Coordinates of all heavy atoms in Angstrom, one line a residue:
A353 N -19.3 -36.5 -8.1 CA -18.5 -36.6 -9.4 C -18.0 -38.1 -9.6 O -17.9 -38.6 -10.7 CB -17.3 -35.7 -9.4
S354 N -17.7 -38.7 -8.5 CA -17.2 -40.1 -8.6 C -18.4 -41.2 -8.8 O -18.2 -42.2 -9.3 CB -16.3 -40.6 -7.4 OG -17.1 -40.4 -6.2
V356 N -21.4 -40.5 -10.2 CA -22.2 -40.5 -11.5 C -21.6 -41.5 -12.6 O -22.4 -42.2 -13.2 CB -22.3 -39.0 -12.1 CG1 -22.7 -39.0 -13.5 CG2 -23.1 -38.2 -11.2
P357 N -20.3 -41.5 -12.8 CA -19.9 -42.5 -13.8 C -20.1 -43.9 -13.4 O -20.4 -44.8 -14.2 CB -18.3 -42.2 -13.8 CG -18.1 -40.8 -13.4 CD -19.3 -40.6 -12.3
M358 N -20.1 -44.3 -12.1 CA -20.4 -45.6 -11.6 C -21.8 -45.9 -11.9 O -22.2 -47.0 -12.3 CB -20.0 -45.8 -10.2 CG -18.5 -45.5 -9.8 SD -17.4 -46.7 -10.6 CE -16.8 -45.8 -11.9
L359 N -22.7 -44.9 -11.6 CA -24.1 -45.2 -11.7 C -24.5 -45.3 -13.3 O -25.4 -46.0 -13.6 CB -24.9 -44.0 -11.1 CG -24.9 -44.0 -9.6 CD1 -25.5 -42.8 -9.1 CD2 -25.5 -45.3 -8.9
A360 N -23.8 -44.5 -14.1 CA -23.9 -44.7 -15.5 C -23.6 -46.0 -16.0 O -24.3 -46.7 -16.8 CB -23.1 -43.6 -16.2
G361 N -22.6 -46.6 -15.4 CA -22.2 -48.0 -15.8 C -23.2 -49.0 -15.3 O -23.6 -49.9 -16.1
W362 N -23.7 -48.8 -14.2 CA -24.7 -49.7 -13.6 C -26.0 -49.6 -14.5 O -26.7 -50.6 -14.7 CB -25.0 -49.3 -12.2 CG -24.1 -49.9 -11.2 CD1 -22.7 -49.6 -11.1 CD2 -24.2 -51.0 -10.2 NE1 -22.1 -50.3 -10.2 CE2 -23.0 -51.1 -9.5 CE3 -25.3 -51.8 -9.9 CZ2 -22.8 -52.1 -8.6 CZ3 -25.1 -52.7 -8.9 CH2 -23.9 -52.9 -8.2
A364 N -26.2 -48.9 -17.6 CA -25.9 -49.5 -18.9 C -26.1 -51.0 -18.8 O -26.6 -51.6 -19.7 CB -24.5 -49.2 -19.4
Q383 N -19.4 -56.5 -18.7 CA -18.3 -55.6 -18.3 C -18.0 -54.5 -19.3 O -17.8 -53.4 -19.0 CB -17.1 -56.3 -17.9 CG -17.2 -57.2 -16.7 CD -15.9 -57.9 -16.4 OE1 -14.8 -57.3 -16.4 NE2 -15.9 -59.3 -16.0
P384 N -17.9 -54.8 -20.6 CA -17.6 -53.8 -21.5 C -18.7 -52.7 -21.6 O -18.3 -51.5 -21.8 CB -17.6 -54.5 -22.9 CG -17.4 -56.0 -22.6 CD -18.0 -56.1 -21.2
E385 N -19.9 -53.0 -21.5 CA -21.0 -51.9 -21.3 C -20.8 -51.1 -20.2 O -20.9 -49.8 -20.3 CB -22.4 -52.5 -21.3 CG -22.8 -53.2 -22.7 CD -22.3 -54.7 -22.8 OE1 -21.4 -55.1 -22.0 OE2 -22.9 -55.4 -23.6
F386 N -20.5 -51.6 -19.0 CA -20.3 -50.9 -17.8 C -19.1 -50.0 -18.1 O -19.1 -48.8 -17.7 CB -20.0 -51.8 -16.6 CG -19.9 -51.1 -15.3 CD1 -20.9 -51.1 -14.4 CD2 -18.7 -50.4 -15.0 CE1 -20.8 -50.5 -13.2 CE2 -18.6 -49.8 -13.7 CZ -19.6 -49.8 -12.8
L387 N -18.0 -50.5 -18.5 CA -16.8 -49.8 -18.8 C -17.0 -48.6 -19.7 O -16.6 -47.4 -19.4 CB -15.7 -50.7 -19.3 CG -14.3 -50.0 -19.5 CD1 -13.7 -49.4 -18.3 CD2 -13.3 -51.0 -20.2
A388 N -17.7 -48.9 -20.8 CA -17.9 -47.8 -21.9 C -18.7 -46.7 -21.3 O -18.3 -45.5 -21.4 CB -18.6 -48.4 -23.1
A389 N -19.8 -47.0 -20.5 CA -20.6 -45.9 -20.0 C -19.9 -45.1 -19.0 O -19.9 -43.9 -18.9 CB -21.9 -46.5 -19.5
G390 N -19.3 -45.8 -18.0 CA -18.6 -45.1 -16.9 C -17.4 -44.3 -17.4 O -17.2 -43.2 -16.9
L391 N -16.6 -44.9 -18.3 CA -15.4 -44.2 -18.8 C -15.8 -43.0 -19.6 O -15.2 -41.9 -19.4 CB -14.5 -45.1 -19.6 CG -13.1 -44.6 -19.9 CD1 -12.4 -44.3 -18.6 CD2 -12.4 -45.8 -20.6
A392 N -16.8 -43.0 -20.4 CA -17.3 -41.9 -21.2 C -17.8 -40.8 -20.2 O -17.3 -39.6 -20.5 CB -18.5 -42.3 -22.1
M393 N -18.5 -41.1 -19.2 CA -19.0 -40.1 -18.3 C -17.9 -39.4 -17.6 O -17.8 -38.2 -17.3 CB -20.0 -40.7 -17.3 CG -20.7 -39.6 -16.5 SD -21.7 -38.5 -17.5 CE -23.0 -39.6 -18.1
S394 N -16.9 -40.3 -17.1 CA -15.7 -39.8 -16.3 C -14.8 -38.9 -17.2 O -14.4 -37.7 -16.7 CB -14.8 -40.9 -15.8 OG -15.4 -41.6 -14.8
L395 N -14.6 -39.2 -18.5 CA -13.8 -38.4 -19.3 C -14.5 -37.1 -19.7 O -13.9 -36.0 -19.7 CB -13.5 -39.2 -20.6 CG -12.5 -40.3 -20.4 CD1 -12.4 -41.1 -21.7 CD2 -11.2 -39.9 -19.9
I396 N -15.8 -37.1 -19.9 CA -16.5 -35.8 -20.1 C -16.4 -35.0 -18.9 O -16.0 -33.7 -19.1 CB -18.0 -36.2 -20.4 CG1 -18.2 -36.8 -21.8 CG2 -18.9 -34.9 -20.3 CD1 -19.6 -37.4 -22.0
F397 N -16.6 -35.5 -17.7 CA -16.4 -34.6 -16.5 C -15.0 -34.0 -16.4 O -14.8 -32.9 -16.1 CB -16.8 -35.5 -15.2 CG -18.2 -35.5 -14.9 CD1 -19.2 -35.2 -15.8 CD2 -18.6 -35.9 -13.6 CE1 -20.6 -35.3 -15.5 CE2 -19.9 -35.9 -13.3 CZ -20.9 -35.7 -14.2
L398 N -14.0 -34.9 -16.7 CA -12.7 -34.5 -16.5 C -12.3 -33.4 -17.6 O -11.6 -32.4 -17.2 CB -11.7 -35.7 -16.7 CG -10.3 -35.5 -16.3 CD1 -10.2 -35.3 -14.8 CD2 -9.4 -36.7 -16.7
I399 N -12.8 -33.5 -18.8 CA -12.5 -32.5 -19.8 C -13.2 -31.1 -19.3 O -12.6 -30.1 -19.5 CB -13.1 -33.0 -21.2 CG1 -12.2 -34.1 -21.6 CG2 -13.0 -31.8 -22.1 CD1 -12.8 -34.8 -22.9
W437 N -8.6 -52.9 -9.5 CA -9.6 -53.4 -10.5 C -9.0 -54.2 -11.6 O -8.4 -53.5 -12.5 CB -10.3 -52.1 -11.0 CG -11.2 -51.5 -10.0 CD1 -11.3 -51.8 -8.7 CD2 -12.2 -50.5 -10.2 NE1 -12.2 -51.1 -8.0 CE2 -12.8 -50.3 -9.0 CE3 -12.7 -49.8 -11.3 CZ2 -13.8 -49.3 -8.8 CZ3 -13.6 -48.8 -11.2 CH2 -14.2 -48.6 -9.9
L457 N -9.5 -55.6 -23.1 CA -9.9 -54.2 -23.0 C -10.4 -53.8 -21.6 O -10.0 -52.8 -21.1 CB -11.0 -53.9 -24.0 CG -10.6 -53.8 -25.5 CD1 -11.9 -53.7 -26.3 CD2 -9.7 -52.7 -25.8
C458 N -11.2 -54.7 -21.0 CA -11.6 -54.4 -19.6 C -10.5 -54.5 -18.6 O -10.5 -53.8 -17.7 CB -12.7 -55.5 -19.3 SG -14.2 -55.3 -20.1
F460 N -7.4 -53.5 -19.0 CA -6.7 -52.2 -19.1 C -7.7 -51.1 -18.8 O -7.2 -50.0 -18.4 CB -6.0 -52.0 -20.4 CG -4.7 -52.9 -20.5 CD1 -4.8 -54.2 -21.2 CD2 -3.6 -52.7 -19.9 CE1 -3.7 -54.9 -21.3 CE2 -2.4 -53.4 -20.0 CZ -2.5 -54.6 -20.7
G461 N -8.9 -51.3 -19.2 CA -9.9 -50.1 -19.2 C -10.4 -49.8 -17.7 O -10.6 -48.7 -17.4
F462 N -10.6 -50.9 -16.9 CA -11.1 -50.6 -15.6 C -10.2 -49.9 -14.6 O -10.6 -49.0 -14.0 CB -11.6 -52.0 -14.9 CG -13.1 -52.3 -15.2 CD1 -13.4 -53.3 -16.2 CD2 -14.1 -51.7 -14.6 CE1 -14.6 -53.6 -16.5 CE2 -15.3 -51.9 -14.9 CZ -15.6 -52.9 -15.8
P463 N -8.9 -50.3 -14.7 CA -8.0 -49.3 -14.0 C -7.9 -47.9 -14.4 O -7.9 -47.0 -13.7 CB -6.5 -50.0 -14.2 CG -6.9 -51.4 -14.5 CD -8.2 -51.4 -15.2
L464 N -8.1 -47.7 -15.7 CA -8.2 -46.3 -16.3 C -9.4 -45.6 -15.8 O -9.4 -44.5 -15.3 CB -8.3 -46.4 -17.8 CG -8.5 -45.1 -18.5 CD1 -7.3 -44.1 -18.2 CD2 -8.6 -45.2 -20.0
L465 N -10.6 -46.4 -15.7 CA -11.9 -45.8 -15.2 C -11.7 -45.4 -13.7 O -12.0 -44.3 -13.3 CB -12.9 -46.8 -15.3 CG -14.3 -46.4 -14.6 CD1 -14.8 -45.2 -15.2 CD2 -15.3 -47.6 -14.8
A466 N -11.0 -46.3 -12.9 CA -10.8 -46.0 -11.5 C -9.9 -44.8 -11.3 O -10.2 -43.9 -10.4 CB -10.1 -47.2 -10.9
E467 N -8.8 -44.6 -12.1 CA -7.9 -43.6 -11.9 C -8.5 -42.2 -12.3 O -8.3 -41.2 -11.6 CB -6.5 -43.9 -12.6 CG -5.8 -45.0 -12.0 CD -5.7 -45.0 -10.5 OE1 -5.3 -44.1 -9.9 OE2 -6.1 -46.1 -9.9
V468 N -9.2 -42.2 -13.4 CA -9.8 -41.0 -13.9 C -10.8 -40.5 -12.9 O -11.0 -39.4 -12.6 CB -10.4 -41.2 -15.3 CG1 -11.3 -40.0 -15.7 CG2 -9.4 -41.4 -16.3
T469 N -11.6 -41.5 -12.4 CA -12.7 -41.2 -11.6 C -12.3 -40.7 -10.1 O -12.7 -39.7 -9.6 CB -13.7 -42.3 -11.4 OG1 -14.2 -42.7 -12.7 CG2 -14.9 -42.0 -10.6
F470 N -11.5 -41.5 -9.5 CA -11.1 -41.3 -8.1 C -9.8 -40.4 -7.9 O -9.8 -39.5 -7.1 CB -10.9 -42.6 -7.4 CG -12.3 -43.4 -7.4 CD1 -12.4 -44.5 -8.3 CD2 -13.3 -43.0 -6.6 CE1 -13.5 -45.2 -8.3 CE2 -14.5 -43.8 -6.7 CZ -14.6 -44.8 -7.5
L473 N -10.9 -37.0 -11.0 CA -12.0 -36.1 -10.6 C -12.1 -35.8 -9.0 O -12.1 -34.8 -8.6 CB -13.3 -36.7 -11.1 CG -13.5 -36.7 -12.6 CD1 -14.8 -37.5 -12.9 CD2 -13.8 -35.3 -13.1
F550 N -2.3 -38.3 -12.4 CA -3.0 -39.6 -12.2 C -2.5 -40.6 -13.2 O -2.7 -41.8 -13.1 CB -4.5 -39.5 -12.4 CG -5.0 -39.3 -13.7 CD1 -5.2 -40.4 -14.6 CD2 -5.5 -38.1 -14.3 CE1 -5.6 -40.3 -15.8 CE2 -6.0 -37.9 -15.5 CZ -6.1 -39.1 -16.3
L554 N -2.0 -44.5 -12.5 CA -2.5 -45.5 -13.4 C -1.4 -46.5 -13.8 O -1.8 -47.7 -13.9 CB -3.0 -44.8 -14.7 CG -3.5 -45.7 -15.9 CD1 -4.7 -46.4 -15.5 CD2 -3.8 -44.7 -17.2
W558 N -1.9 -50.5 -13.2 CA -1.6 -51.6 -14.2 C -0.5 -52.5 -13.8 O -0.7 -53.7 -13.9 CB -1.2 -50.9 -15.5 CG -2.4 -50.4 -16.4 CD1 -3.7 -50.9 -16.2 CD2 -2.4 -49.4 -17.4 NE1 -4.5 -50.1 -17.2 CE2 -3.7 -49.3 -17.9 CE3 -1.4 -48.6 -17.8 CZ2 -4.0 -48.4 -18.8 CZ3 -1.7 -47.6 -18.9 CH2 -3.0 -47.6 -19.3

Side-chain angles (χ1 to χ4, degrees):
S354 60
V356 169
M358 299 296 102
L359 292 174
W362 281 67
Q383 292 182 45
E385 288 88 339
F386 185 103
L387 177 62
L391 194 55
M393 190 63 68
S394 284
L395 291 174
I396 290 172
F397 275 19
L398 194 64
I399 291 170
W437 288 10
L457 289 174
C458 291
F460 288 99
F462 271 102
L464 176 61
L465 172 61
E467 297 312 307
V468 170
T469 303
F470 299 104
L473 288 173
F550 77 79
L554 175 60
W558 277 336

